[in-house]
Amino acid sequence: KNEVEQSPQNLTAQEGEFITINCSYSVGISALHWLQQHPGGGIVSLFMLSSGKKKHGRLIATINIQEKHSSLHITASHPRDSAVYICAAIYYNQGGKLIFGQGTELSVKP
Amino acid sequence: DVKVTQSSRYLVKRTGEKVFLECVQDMDHENMFWYRQDPGLGLRLIYFSYDVKMKEKGDIPEGYSVSREKKERFSLILESASTNQTSMYLCASSFPVSGTSSGNTIYFGEGSWLTVV
């Protein structure tokens, strides 16, 4: 079964803290997305990666194919980073559909 | 700026009404998706489409149908709305997994909040 497990489900941090959100998946993915959803609904894809590491501003995403694990890091967190972060995998046998993790609700306090 | 536009942000419909949710993308994407999102259940795929006139059922297609007559437009139809279809509906689009443009990222609309009373 194609699954995506994400942790933690909820995370509260103080402004400036380094944050890590983890995602594990089963074999056979072609790529993995990290998504951000702010209150109000809209979702934005932060990264799509199939190997290695990507960085955009204070956000870093890594993926370890052997370990079947990906992480999203936020450096110097800020209250505007408060959102739900979702990892979503694209499996070869699912024809492009995304399999979503449960999401991590992040709250960054000033 | 790439865009996925959902026609209605907030709707209130009566039980038994036929409801159309429209989604338009301007990126020439082949793939389009309809999801619903409910507290505690996350995002669940209702239907997706690989190309014009192509559609495939997702995980929860019951009570829904879709239409893709043009590449840029993917419509979700609730034939007879029920209260358990009260939810937030999200449309998304992307190139195929094997595509190379835009890094194969996926774009979401802003969501449509549907209440069925």
Side-chain angles (χ1 to χ4, degrees), chain B residues 80-114:
Chain B
S80 177
S82 63
T83 54
N84 64 11
Q85 292 177 309
T86 292
S87 186
M88 200 269 278
Y89 292 86
L90 275 162
C91 175
S93 71
S94 73
F95 285 112
V97 174
S98 58
T100 56
S101 298
S102 302
N104 288 335
T105 196
I106 187 165
Y107 297 89
F108 287 83
E110 288 296 306
S112 298
W113 295 86
L114 172 66

Coordinates of all heavy atoms in Angstrom, one line a residue, chain B residues 80-114:
Chain B
S80 N -26.8 15.7 -6.8 CA -27.9 15.9 -5.9 C -27.2 16.1 -4.5 O -26.9 15.2 -3.8 CB -28.8 14.7 -5.8 OG -29.8 15.0 -4.9
A81 N -26.9 17.4 -4.2 CA -26.1 17.7 -3.1 C -26.7 17.2 -1.8 O -28.0 17.2 -1.6 CB -25.9 19.2 -2.9
S82 N -25.8 16.7 -0.9 CA -26.3 16.2 0.4 C -25.4 16.9 1.5 O -24.3 17.4 1.2 CB -26.1 14.7 0.5 OG -24.8 14.3 0.4
T83 N -25.9 16.8 2.7 CA -25.3 17.5 3.8 C -23.9 17.0 4.0 O -23.0 17.7 4.4 CB -26.1 17.5 5.1 OG1 -26.4 16.1 5.4 CG2 -27.4 18.3 4.9
N84 N -23.6 15.7 3.7 CA -22.3 15.2 4.0 C -21.3 15.6 2.9 O -20.1 15.2 2.9 CB -22.3 13.6 4.1 CG -22.8 12.9 2.9 OD1 -22.9 13.5 1.8 ND2 -23.1 11.6 3.0
Q85 N -21.8 16.4 1.9 CA -20.8 16.9 0.9 C -20.4 18.4 1.3 O -19.7 19.0 0.5 CB -21.5 16.9 -0.4 CG -21.6 15.5 -1.0 CD -22.3 15.4 -2.3 OE1 -23.4 16.0 -2.5 NE2 -21.7 14.7 -3.2
T86 N -20.9 18.8 2.5 CA -20.4 20.1 3.0 C -18.9 19.9 3.3 O -18.5 19.1 4.0 CB -21.1 20.5 4.3 OG1 -22.5 20.8 4.0 CG2 -20.5 21.7 5.0
S87 N -18.1 20.8 2.6 CA -16.7 20.6 2.7 C -16.0 21.7 2.0 O -16.6 22.6 1.4 CB -16.3 19.3 2.0 OG -14.9 19.0 2.2
M88 N -14.6 21.7 2.0 CA -13.8 22.6 1.2 C -13.3 21.8 0.1 O -12.7 20.8 0.2 CB -12.7 23.2 2.1 CG -12.2 24.5 1.5 SD -10.8 24.2 0.4 CE -9.4 24.1 1.6
Y89 N -13.5 22.3 -1.1 CA -13.1 21.6 -2.4 C -11.9 22.4 -3.0 O -12.0 23.6 -3.2 CB -14.3 21.6 -3.3 CG -15.4 20.6 -2.9 CD1 -16.4 21.1 -2.0 CD2 -15.4 19.3 -3.2 CE1 -17.3 20.2 -1.5 CE2 -16.4 18.4 -2.7 CZ -17.3 18.9 -1.9 OH -18.3 18.1 -1.4
L90 N -10.9 21.6 -3.3 CA -9.7 22.2 -3.9 C -9.5 21.6 -5.3 O -9.5 20.4 -5.5 CB -8.5 21.9 -3.1 CG -8.2 22.9 -1.9 CD1 -7.3 22.2 -0.9 CD2 -7.7 24.2 -2.4
C91 N -9.2 22.5 -6.3 CA -8.8 22.0 -7.6 C -7.3 22.2 -7.7 O -6.7 23.1 -7.1 CB -9.5 22.9 -8.6 SG -9.0 22.6 -10.3
A92 N -6.7 21.3 -8.5 CA -5.2 21.4 -8.7 C -4.9 21.0 -10.2 O -5.7 20.3 -10.8 CB -4.5 20.6 -7.7
S93 N -3.8 21.5 -10.6 CA -3.3 21.1 -12.0 C -1.8 20.9 -12.0 O -1.1 21.5 -11.2 CB -3.8 22.1 -13.0 OG -3.1 23.3 -13.0
S94 N -1.4 20.1 -12.9 CA 0.1 19.8 -13.1 C 0.3 19.3 -14.5 O -0.6 18.8 -15.1 CB 0.6 18.9 -12.0 OG 0.2 17.6 -12.3
F95 N 1.6 19.3 -14.8 CA 2.0 18.6 -16.0 C 2.1 17.1 -15.6 O 2.2 16.7 -14.4 CB 3.4 19.0 -16.5 CG 3.3 20.4 -17.2 CD1 3.9 21.5 -16.7 CD2 2.7 20.5 -18.4 CE1 3.8 22.7 -17.3 CE2 2.6 21.7 -19.1 CZ 3.2 22.8 -18.5
P96 N 2.1 16.2 -16.6 CA 2.3 14.8 -16.3 C 3.6 14.5 -15.6 O 4.5 15.3 -15.7 CB 2.3 14.1 -17.7 CG 1.6 15.0 -18.6 CD 1.9 16.4 -18.0
V97 N 3.7 13.5 -14.9 CA 4.9 13.1 -14.1 C 6.1 13.1 -15.0 O 7.2 13.5 -14.6 CB 4.7 11.8 -13.4 CG1 6.0 11.3 -12.7 CG2 3.6 11.8 -12.4
S98 N 6.0 12.7 -16.2 CA 7.1 12.6 -17.1 C 7.4 13.9 -17.8 O 8.4 14.0 -18.5 CB 6.9 11.6 -18.2 OG 5.7 11.9 -18.9
G99 N 6.6 14.9 -17.6 CA 6.8 16.2 -18.2 C 8.0 16.9 -17.6 O 8.5 16.6 -16.6
T100 N 8.5 17.9 -18.3 CA 9.7 18.6 -17.9 C 9.5 20.1 -17.5 O 10.3 20.7 -16.8 CB 10.8 18.5 -19.0 OG1 10.3 19.1 -20.2 CG2 11.2 17.1 -19.2
S101 N 8.4 20.7 -18.0 CA 8.3 22.1 -17.8 C 7.9 22.4 -16.3 O 7.2 21.6 -15.7 CB 7.1 22.6 -18.7 OG 7.5 22.5 -20.0
S102 N 8.3 23.5 -15.8 CA 8.0 24.0 -14.5 C 8.4 23.0 -13.4 O 7.8 23.0 -12.3 CB 6.5 24.3 -14.4 OG 6.1 25.3 -15.3
G103 N 9.3 22.1 -13.7 CA 9.7 21.2 -12.6 C 8.6 20.2 -12.1 O 8.7 19.7 -11.1
N104 N 7.5 20.1 -12.9 CA 6.5 19.2 -12.5 C 5.8 19.6 -11.3 O 5.2 18.7 -10.6 CB 7.0 17.7 -12.4 CG 7.3 17.1 -13.7 OD1 6.7 17.5 -14.7 ND2 8.2 16.2 -13.8
T105 N 5.8 20.8 -10.9 CA 5.2 21.2 -9.7 C 3.6 21.2 -9.9 O 3.1 21.1 -11.0 CB 5.7 22.5 -9.1 OG1 5.3 22.6 -7.8 CG2 5.1 23.7 -9.9
I106 N 2.9 21.2 -8.8 CA 1.5 21.2 -8.8 C 1.0 22.5 -8.3 O 1.5 23.1 -7.4 CB 0.9 20.0 -8.0 CG1 -0.6 19.9 -8.2 CG2 1.3 20.1 -6.5 CD1 -1.1 18.5 -7.7
Y107 N -0.1 23.0 -8.9 CA -0.7 24.3 -8.5 C -2.1 24.1 -8.0 O -2.9 23.4 -8.7 CB -0.7 25.3 -9.7 CG 0.7 25.6 -10.1 CD1 1.4 24.8 -11.1 CD2 1.4 26.7 -9.6 CE1 2.7 25.1 -11.5 CE2 2.7 27.0 -10.0 CZ 3.3 26.2 -10.9 OH 4.6 26.5 -11.3
F108 N -2.5 24.7 -6.9 CA -3.8 24.6 -6.4 C -4.6 25.9 -6.5 O -4.0 27.0 -6.5 CB -3.7 24.3 -4.9 CG -3.2 22.9 -4.6 CD1 -1.9 22.5 -4.6 CD2 -4.2 21.9 -4.3 CE1 -1.5 21.3 -4.3 CE2 -3.7 20.6 -4.0 CZ -2.4 20.3 -4.0
G109 N -5.9 25.7 -6.6 CA -6.8 26.9 -6.5 C -6.9 27.3 -5.1 O -6.3 26.7 -4.1
E110 N -7.7 28.4 -4.9 CA -7.9 28.9 -3.5 C -8.9 28.2 -2.7 O -9.0 28.4 -1.5 CB -8.3 30.4 -3.6 CG -7.2 31.3 -4.1 CD -6.1 31.4 -3.1 OE1 -6.3 31.7 -1.9 OE2 -4.9 31.1 -3.5
G111 N -9.6 27.3 -3.3 CA -10.6 26.5 -2.5 C -12.0 27.0 -2.7 O -12.2 28.3 -2.8
S112 N -12.9 26.1 -2.6 CA -14.3 26.5 -2.6 C -15.0 25.9 -1.4 O -15.0 24.7 -1.2 CB -15.0 26.0 -3.9 OG -14.5 26.6 -5.1
W113 N -15.5 26.8 -0.6 CA -16.2 26.3 0.7 C -17.7 26.1 0.4 O -18.4 27.0 0.1 CB -16.0 27.3 1.8 CG -14.6 27.5 2.2 CD1 -13.7 28.4 1.6 CD2 -13.9 26.9 3.3 NE1 -12.5 28.3 2.3 CE2 -12.6 27.4 3.3 CE3 -14.3 25.9 4.2 CZ2 -11.7 26.9 4.2 CZ3 -13.4 25.5 5.1 CH2 -12.1 26.0 5.1
L114 N -18.1 24.9 0.4 CA -19.5 24.5 0.1 C -20.2 24.1 1.3 O -19.7 23.2 2.1 CB -19.6 23.4 -1.0 CG -21.0 22.8 -1.2 CD1 -21.9 23.8 -1.9 CD2 -20.9 21.5 -2.1

